[in-house]
Amino acid sequence: QVQLVESGGGLVQPGGSLRLSCAASGNIFSINAMAWYRQAPGKQRELVAGLTSGDTTNYADSVKGRFTISRDNAKNTWYLQMNSLKPEDTAVYYCNAYITSGSTYRVTRSDYWGQGTQVTVSS
């Protein structure tokens, strides 16, 4: 079974930085696309950054120039580098990916979510 495990959240001061990691495990053939979402209390979950298998990136306007999504294919891991953090960045951050997995004779393609990690930026 494919699982996504997040790490790297925490409490930082405004202007500080954090690096989130998401590691996928299981019988993975490929990660077709990966992303980071966040959800603040009382708000809808929103896409923060996305990365396709072709290395095309997509960022929310609110984080452009401050956040960077990247990946390590060999480790089935992707990252969100967050710089110049603002109080409004405070949220639970979730990693997400569309993953092809299974065996040689049985292939599964599905969307997966991490457990979430809290990022708090003090004001």
Side-chain angles (χ1 to χ4, degrees):
Q1 183 178 2
V2 172
Q3 291 186 318
L4 273 55
V5 178
E6 302 181 34
S7 62
L11 173 65
V12 296
Q13 304 241 329
S17 297
L18 282 175
R19 182 179 174 88
L20 306 183
S21 299
C22 186
S25 62
N27 192 10
I28 296 171
F29 293 146
S30 64
I31 301 177
N32 307 103
M34 58 218 74
W36 290 93
Y37 289 76
R38 68 185 180 189
Q39 188 167 22
K43 303 292 185 180
Q44 295 280 349
R45 186 173 297 186
E46 64 173 343
L47 175 67
V48 176
L51 180 64
T52 70
S53 59
D55 290 331
T56 299
T57 56
N58 182 31
Y59 296 97
D61 288 341
S62 60
V63 307
K64 285 181 179 177
R66 300 188 297 120
F67 291 10
T68 303
I69 186 171
S70 61
R71 67 181 180 183
D72 185 332
N73 292 338
K75 297 180 179 179
N76 286 330
T77 299
W78 57 105
Y79 310 92
L80 185 67
Q81 178 66 48
M82 304 184 293
N83 299 324
S84 301
L85 283 161
K86 304 174 180 179
E88 52 263 43
D89 295 319
T90 296
V92 177
Y93 284 71
Y94 298 89
C95 60
N96 167 265
Y98 191 73
I99 296 174
T100 301
S101 64
S103 68
T104 302
Y105 304 103
R106 186 177 181 87
V107 176
T108 298
R109 296 180 177 88
S110 188
D111 198 49
Y112 296 90
W113 291 90
Q115 80 280 8
T117 184
Q118 177 70 46
V119 172
T120 301
V121 185
S122 66
S123 59

